[in-house]
Amino acid sequence: MQKNPRRIFTIIAILAVLVISFFKWGVGLYVDLLWFKSVGYSSVFYTVLLSDLGLRVATATFIFLGLLINLLMTRKPLLEAINASRQQEDDGIITLRPSPLGEFITPRIVTLIFILGSLILALLISTAVKDNWIILQQYLNATSFGIADPIFGKDAGFYSFKLPFYQFIYQILMWVTFLSAIAVAAIYLFSDSTRGGLTRIFNSVAARYHLSALAAVFFLIKAWGYKLQQYSLMFSNEGVAFGPGYTDVHARLLSLKILMVIALLTAIVILVNIFMRRFKMVLYSIGGLMVVSILIGSVYPAAIQNFIVSPNEMDKEKPYIENSIEFTRYAYGLDRIKEKPFPAGEVLSKEQVNQNQEAINNIRLWDWRPLTNTYSQLQEMRPYYEFKNIDIDRYIVDGKYRQVMLAAREMDQSKLPARAQTWVNQRLKYTHGYGLAMSPVNEVTGEGLPEFFLKNIPPVGKTNLQVDRPEIYYGESTDQYVIVNATSPEFDYPSGNENAMTMYEGESGVKVNSFFRKGVFALAFGDYRLLLASDIQPDSQILFRRNIRERVPRIAPFLKYDGDPYIVLSEGKQYWMWDAYTTTNMFPYSEPFNGRDNYIRNSVKVVVDAYSGDVTFYAADASEPVLQTYQNIFKDLFEPLSEMPEDLQNHIRYPVDMFMIQAEKFSLYHMTNPTMFYNKEDKWNMPTEQYGNEEQRMEPYYTITKLPGEEMSEYVLIMPFTPKDKKNMIAWLAARSDGKNYGNLLAYQFPKQELVYGPMQIEARIDQDTTISQKLSLWDQRGSSVIRGNLLVIPVEDALLYVEPLYLQSDQSKMPELRRVIVSHGNEVVMEPTLDLALQRIFGEDTGTPEPPQEEQPPADGTVETNRELIDKANRLYTTAQDRLKSGDFSGYGETMDELKDVLQKLSTQGSME
């Protein structure tokens, strides 16, 4: 027989694709293994790999066997059909003649086709379950929440860890049964087409037995599916509150129970029909199930809802609303919030301001958005450096508790000059960022720019803070792999006309110590130049997955992560701290927060060394059930929080994403009375504020303040609330971040019968102040734009201060300057160049804040000291005049120049006398 070249080529091409795919998979797997070993989490790699492969192999094996067994049962009638053809003779007599196909398709070929078909389908379906290994592991390592649902009495752990696995098994069983039924029905149809077609299929004993058995299995599985659907009612969104309501419990649940029984009876009827040969009985049973499912699955619940629930909805839904409130509050930790009253309309005295200087001195005047541009202009130093984000934290600076803003100076290789973007520069030379910039939140230079605690390259400062290990190999902008410890040193930082060079001293990379590894990484990264690079030596290391947003989730993909990892300076070293969350979308009776997850805890704190890339996962809440389950799965992944260095613990803060989710839920679920909840009588909203020229949703903000009734100032995260469709403030929520109080939430509520200005009402008062509005309009028309920063509501004692910074940005420059501070308290709204001057206008000069320059006093003796004082004063007045000129304050500029003229005349007179 002559061979078909096209067929041979097709077979070779398919084999080549399979070999290449398998080879690429093997290369990727080997690279993953090397990387996990380098970060110290090889046990996590093996656990995930074996769980994933084990589940996929088990799934594929089950599907393969299920399909193959069913197909093999059809082999005999299929072979008979192949070996004979149906032919109509002239006299109407039907005879069977041998088919030409019988010469080529032998029993062995049929078996081989069945095996290959079953295998292909099994492999295709098994690839769809590759991310379900965590469902298996959670089932095997399930823990209890200690709270049971009020309908079935099942612990929340059943829904979070066991029900997803049961649903997974149910889907696999349905797939196997469905595909088997389709395949064997098609084969029997083909086999019996020579004997009368579809009408005679069920006259065949083999076909009747086989298809009936599959149908019975289908309805048995369907009955189990109805049972699982009953538990899924815990996530119903059909009622007035999330979770099962009156109609779900009294109609849909009953319907599912009836359908489960009917499905079981249908399976029995089908099995009985195998021997009775009454096909109509099967059709009646299946048709009856469909009719009943429509009637009791849709019509009956709708009738209950319309005729029983709707006329008396509050009374019928009350216990289910209570369930929803209880479980949602538990799922988001709202049941731990302590609610306290806060008085309205209180006015501070000068003495109270003096007693709260730590809070006053830490009011944040710098908004992170304009400050990002300012940092970029002042401290990036070179075009290839980048400040990705501005972070907010607190430090002990020269013995004082200070809130600061800081940013890591990372390397952005894409900003290298085009000629410098060579392979050697991007992979071997420009490998890391350098240092950070840090400034207090409330200090400003005479030019309206931030004062820096740490600045420049190398980082220098005037405080006790110092950076001993400034290199940043791992961060938020480090997207490319690099090779360190090559034959030539790396660029460290710019230094005058020359560059400082360095060699990496860490051990966190993967050694490129053989040609084989070079080849593996060249294939993995698609970079052939790795093979040709002569600078790579046996001690060289390849650092990859350096972006912490890829690095950390690669180790623990089952955690959810906060949107803002932040840089921390601790004992001279730089670390990234990142909050991670344990979540589930299967917590009973709890309303979801993102359309999916309905339970969240900030159970994990992640720390990444910016130099070495070492990643440590700290268990922040060891009693949390989801975390306990993960700890059972990954024995070596999590460290106790007590193992975190003490100085790093001082920089743990309550995460903004978690706080926002809780605040959004608390705006509704602070109402624990079911009647109030049903009517939404006390629904709160997140307030809005004006940023620039746009109204936008207010962001939560960190501050240092002394909470009412507390003796010490502390670091807190704050969010005000306004009533629904109103602008006044009704409450504010505070999350504590310091020491033993970490994680505690306090909700302060104002008297509902008294007015407390909300953020937008303060913005309106600012706009309505003629003096302020005129100046803002003037500045906006003279080649510059006014940027209105975050409006902060600062609690001090039992009163509130409203503070809003104003920035001026030239149309030709992207460097905003802080030029004014607006403060509102009581009935006053003032705008001054500094926060100190604004507070002095409201409370008087004796507020404990730094005093403005005083008038010159007559010298005690001689004229040398007096001349020095006059010169200092002239310099101050000149700087002030320039600031007022830049900001468009022409009247203030004229007054200051007049004062400067008097000082210069006095200095001239004293100089001539001398």
Side-chain angles (χ1 to χ4, degrees):
M1 186 192 307
Q2 187 176 2
K3 294 183 179 180
N4 188 335
R6 182 177 297 178
R7 182 181 300 173
I8 295 174
F9 176 79
T10 302
I11 294 174
I12 293 175
I14 293 174
L15 290 175
V17 169
L18 292 175
V19 170
I20 292 172
S21 299
F22 182 79
F23 184 71
K24 289 183 67 175
W25 176 81
V27 168
L29 189 67
Y30 179 63
V31 169
D32 279 346
L33 175 59
L34 292 176
W35 184 79
F36 271 93
K37 284 184 176 181
S38 72
V39 296
Y41 290 109
S42 56
S43 62
V44 174
F45 171 81
Y46 288 121
T47 298
V48 174
L49 177 65
L50 295 177
S51 300
D52 184 31
L53 287 180
L55 181 62
R56 292 167 70 172
V57 169
T59 302
T61 301
F62 178 77
I63 295 173
F64 171 74
L65 292 176
L67 291 173
L68 182 60
I69 290 172
N70 281 282
L71 290 173
L72 288 176
M73 293 173 67
T74 67
R75 189 176 68 159
K76 182 179 178 180
L78 178 61
L79 287 171
E80 291 176 354
I82 291 173
N83 290 322
S85 64
R86 180 175 178 273
Q87 182 173 327
Q88 180 72 42
E89 300 292 349
D90 294 337
D91 57 1
I93 300 174
I94 298 175
T95 59
L96 298 177
R97 294 183 178 179
S99 169
L101 290 175
E103 300 178 8
F104 303 102
I105 301 180
T106 64
R108 180 177 297 179
I109 294 296
V110 171
T111 302
L112 182 61
I113 292 173
F114 284 169
I115 292 174
L116 288 176
S118 300
L119 183 62
I120 291 171
L121 284 174
L123 291 176
L124 288 175
I125 297 175
S126 68
T127 57
V129 305
K130 63 178 182 178
D131 294 326
N132 289 318
W133 62 267
I134 192 64
I135 294 177
L136 171 64
Q137 284 290 0
Q138 286 179 330
Y139 173 80
L140 297 175
N141 296 276
T143 53
S144 172
F145 279 79
I147 179 173
D149 79 88
I151 307 300
F152 302 104
K154 295 283 188 180
D155 185 86
F158 167 81
Y159 296 95
S160 298
F161 306 128
K162 294 186 178 296
L163 184 58
F165 182 72
Y166 295 148
Q167 292 172 335
F168 170 76
I169 296 298
Y170 170 76
Q171 291 172 355
I172 296 299
L173 292 174
M174 290 297 287
W175 268 107
V176 172
T177 306
F178 176 75
L179 291 175
S180 297
I182 294 295
V184 300
I187 292 173
Y188 284 127
L189 179 61
F190 171 77
S191 301
D192 287 323
S193 63
T194 60
R195 299 179 176 87
L198 184 62
T199 59
R200 298 195 56 184
I201 288 180
F202 281 93
N203 289 329
S204 167
V205 175
R208 185 172 69 250
Y209 275 39
H210 196 174
L211 291 174
S212 296
L214 284 174
V217 170
F218 173 84
F219 283 104
L220 287 173
I221 298 170
K222 189 64 179 176
W224 186 44
Y226 285 130
K227 178 65 175 179
L228 296 180
Q229 277 187 265
Q230 296 175 34
Y231 296 123
S232 297
L233 288 176
M234 299 307 299
F235 313 102
S236 171
N237 197 23
E238 300 292 332
V240 296
F242 191 84
Y246 184 93
T247 301
D248 293 312
V249 174
H250 292 84
R252 292 190 178 91
L253 180 57
L254 177 62
S255 300
L256 290 171
K257 289 180 177 179
I258 294 173
L259 288 172
M260 181 180 70
V261 173
I262 293 176
L264 289 172
L265 293 175
T266 302
I268 295 172
V269 168
I270 292 173
L271 291 175
V272 171
N273 182 67
I274 294 176
F275 305 99
M276 297 181 65
R277 300 188 181 185
R278 295 182 179 178
F279 183 62
K280 291 183 179 180
M281 184 184 297
V282 176
L283 294 179
Y284 291 153
S285 299
I286 297 174
L289 177 62
M290 295 176 64
V291 172
V292 171
S293 65
I294 294 173
L295 290 176
I296 69 173
S298 300
V299 177
Y300 178 61
I304 293 294
Q305 179 67 35
N306 292 327
F307 298 110
I308 296 179
V309 177
S310 294
N312 196 17
E313 192 169 51
M314 178 58 223
D315 181 60
K316 295 297 183 182
E317 298 285 6
K318 181 177 179 180
Y320 307 104
I321 294 174
E322 291 175 340
N323 293 337
S324 183
I325 292 173
E326 177 188 356
F327 279 78
T328 300
R329 285 172 62 88
Y330 178 90
Y332 296 100
L334 307 183
D335 56 333
R336 304 176 186 178
I337 297 177
K338 294 181 180 180
E339 300 184 33
K340 296 183 177 183
F342 196 88
E346 296 293 315
V347 178
L348 291 171
S349 65
K350 290 187 293 185
E351 291 74 17
Q352 289 175 311
V353 174
N354 291 334
Q355 293 167 5
N356 288 274
Q357 281 303 296
E358 195 165 41
I360 300 297
N361 291 335
N362 282 287
I363 293 175
R364 179 166 59 85
L365 301 181
W366 284 104
D367 188 305
W368 64 269
R369 287 161 291 197
L371 188 62
T372 301
N373 291 330
T374 304
Y375 264 45
S376 176
Q377 295 291 328
L378 296 178
Q379 284 296 308
E380 283 185 354
M381 304 299 186
R382 293 292 188 273
Y384 43 77
Y385 286 129
E386 176 187 36
F387 290 113
K388 185 79 171 181
N389 287 307
I390 302 291
D391 296 316
I392 303 173
D393 203 354
R394 73 284 195 201
Y395 289 78
I396 301 296
V397 181
D398 294 336
K400 295 181 179 179
Y401 198 34
R402 301 295 301 272
Q403 186 177 199
V404 302
M405 308 187 82
L406 67 164
R409 188 182 293 105
E410 298 192 57
M411 174 69 68
D412 185 354
Q413 294 178 343
S414 66
K415 294 181 180 178
L416 285 168
R419 292 183 179 179
Q421 292 190 20
T422 64
W423 188 88
V424 171
N425 280 343
Q426 292 181 321
R427 298 291 176 261
L428 303 176
K429 293 297 181 184
Y430 292 87
T431 57
H432 59 274
Y434 201 87
L436 54 80
M438 179 191 292
S439 59
V441 296
N442 66 324
E443 293 189 16
V444 187
T445 67
E447 293 79 20
L449 303 175
E451 288 279 7
F452 284 98
F453 283 162
L454 287 169
K455 61 181 180 179
N456 299 343
I457 301 176
V460 295
K462 302 177 182 179
T463 67
N464 60 302
L465 300 174
Q466 61 181 16
V467 184
D468 299 325
R469 177 61 79 181
E471 298 91 346
I472 300 175
Y473 285 87
Y474 299 86
E476 296 183 86
S477 296
T478 47
D479 296 322
Q480 305 297 326
Y481 79 87
V482 296
I483 300 170
V484 295
N485 304 126
T487 55
S488 57
E490 311 158 40
F491 166 78
D492 198 19
Y493 61 89
S495 179
N497 295 326
E498 297 183 357
N499 293 327
M501 309 302 284
T502 188
M503 294 290 281
Y504 185 65
E505 298 177 2
E507 296 291 337
S508 60
V510 177
K511 295 280 188 180
V512 193
N513 51 14
S514 66
F515 184 80
F516 172 75
R517 285 198 177 180
K518 275 189 177 183
V520 166
F521 284 115
L523 285 171
F525 299 136
D527 190 348
Y528 70 90
R529 285 166 293 193
L530 266 169
L531 287 171
L532 307 177
S534 59
D535 289 336
I536 300 176
Q537 56 185 356
D539 288 335
S540 297
Q541 302 177 62
I542 185 167
L543 310 182
F544 59 104
R545 293 173 188 160
R546 297 191 300 138
N547 191 312
I548 62 173
R549 293 181 181 272
E550 177 190 10
R551 189 176 187 83
V552 175
R554 189 77 175 193
I555 300 170
F558 42 84
L559 297 175
K560 302 291 178 63
Y561 296 91
D562 193 80
D564 182 29
Y566 56 101
I567 193 74
V568 172
L569 176 62
S570 177
E571 298 180 349
K573 297 182 66 177
Q574 298 169 111
Y575 299 89
W576 295 99
M577 192 169 284
W578 202 2
D579 289 282
Y581 307 112
T582 48
T583 63
T584 177
N585 63 342
M586 297 292 285
F587 195 84
Y589 253 126
S590 175
E591 184 181 57
F593 64 86
N594 58 1
R596 178 174 170 82
D597 295 325
N598 63 355
Y599 170 94
I600 186 170
R601 290 289 187 273
N602 178 214
S603 301
V604 180
K605 303 288 184 180
V606 186
V607 175
V608 183
D609 190 313
Y611 183 79
S612 68
D614 293 337
V615 182
T616 309
F617 295 83
Y618 293 100
D621 185 359
S623 63
E624 198 277 310
V626 180
L627 177 61
Q628 288 179 344
T629 296
Y630 291 146
Q631 287 178 311
N632 292 337
I633 300 171
F634 304 100
K635 306 293 185 182
D636 303 322
L637 180 58
F638 300 98
E639 298 286 341
L641 187 62
S642 58
E643 297 295 321
M644 181 186 289
E646 183 177 354
D647 190 57
L648 278 178
Q649 290 188 40
N650 293 333
H651 295 281
I652 291 175
R653 69 184 192 187
Y654 203 87
V656 170
D657 287 358
M658 174 80 173
F659 185 72
M660 279 297 295
I661 292 169
Q662 290 178 306
E664 287 183 0
K665 292 303 177 186
F666 191 67
S667 67
L668 178 62
Y669 285 91
H670 69 276
M671 294 182 288
T672 55
N673 182 290
T675 303
M676 292 183 64
F677 186 94
Y678 174 79
N679 294 314
K680 305 295 187 290
E681 294 178 17
D682 195 22
K683 174 74 169 66
W684 298 346
N685 283 343
M686 303 294 184
T688 57
E689 64 173 344
Q690 188 158 337
Y691 177 76
N693 296 318
E694 298 180 357
E695 182 177 345
Q696 65 177 28
R697 189 175 184 178
M698 193 171 187
E699 298 178 345
Y701 51 90
Y702 293 100
T703 190
I704 293 176
T705 191
K706 189 187 298 182
L707 293 173
E710 300 295 330
E711 297 181 356
M712 300 289 293
S713 296
E714 56 185 293
Y715 198 53
V716 295
L717 183 59
I718 291 177
M719 170 58 79
F721 292 102
T722 59
K724 183 181 180 181
D725 300 327
K726 301 292 182 182
K727 299 297 185 182
N728 62 290
M729 195 156 70
I730 191 65
W732 56 280
L733 184 65
R736 309 172 78 173
S737 294
D738 286 350
K740 63 181 181 180
N741 292 320
Y742 174 81
N744 294 337
L745 274 72
L746 300 171
Y748 294 92
Q749 297 191 35
F750 299 104
K752 291 183 173 61
Q753 68 276 11
E754 298 185 46
L755 172 66
V756 176
Y757 288 119
M760 279 309 295
Q761 290 177 322
I762 295 296
E763 299 281 17
R765 292 182 64 192
I766 293 172
D767 292 335
Q768 292 164 6
D769 186 290
T770 55
T771 303
I772 295 176
S773 61
Q774 286 175 1
K775 289 186 177 180
L776 296 183
S777 300
L778 178 65
W779 293 335
D780 256 335
Q781 297 172 2
R782 295 187 174 272
S784 62
S785 58
V786 176
I787 301 175
R788 295 170 70 159
N790 283 135
L791 175 65
L792 305 182
V793 183
I794 307 296
V796 180
E797 299 281 346
D798 290 331
L800 299 174
L801 278 177
Y802 301 85
V803 180
E804 181 174 276
L806 292 181
Y807 311 91
L808 284 184
Q809 178 173 285
S810 170
D811 293 342
Q812 288 77 36
S813 170
K814 293 298 182 182
M815 187 167 66
E817 300 174 357
L818 177 59
R819 286 303 178 184
R820 290 293 184 271
V821 179
I822 300 174
V823 177
S824 177
H825 179 67
N827 295 320
E828 297 204 46
V829 177
V830 301
M831 182 175 73
E832 290 293 332
T834 67
L835 174 63
D836 300 332
L837 292 176
L839 293 175
Q840 288 176 21
R841 276 191 59 185
I842 294 176
F843 299 105
E845 293 189 3
D846 186 17
T847 59
T849 55
E851 297 182 355
Q854 302 295 314
E855 292 294 325
E856 299 294 337
Q857 300 297 324
D861 55 17
T863 61
V864 175
E865 187 66 27
T866 303
N867 287 341
R868 288 179 180 174
E869 291 175 353
L870 290 173
I871 292 171
D872 291 340
K873 185 174 182 179
N875 287 328
R876 288 196 300 271
L877 289 170
Y878 177 77
T879 300
T880 302
Q882 293 302 309
D883 292 343
R884 291 181 173 177
L885 180 61
K886 289 180 181 179
S887 63
D889 185 4
F890 299 105
S891 61
Y893 171 76
E895 293 172 1
T896 307
M897 290 303 293
D898 290 338
E899 292 181 36
L900 177 59
K901 181 179 179 181
D902 293 339
V903 172
L904 293 175
Q905 288 178 348
K906 187 184 296 184
L907 183 61
S908 176
T909 302
Q910 291 188 172
S912 62
M913 291 174 60
E914 186 178 8

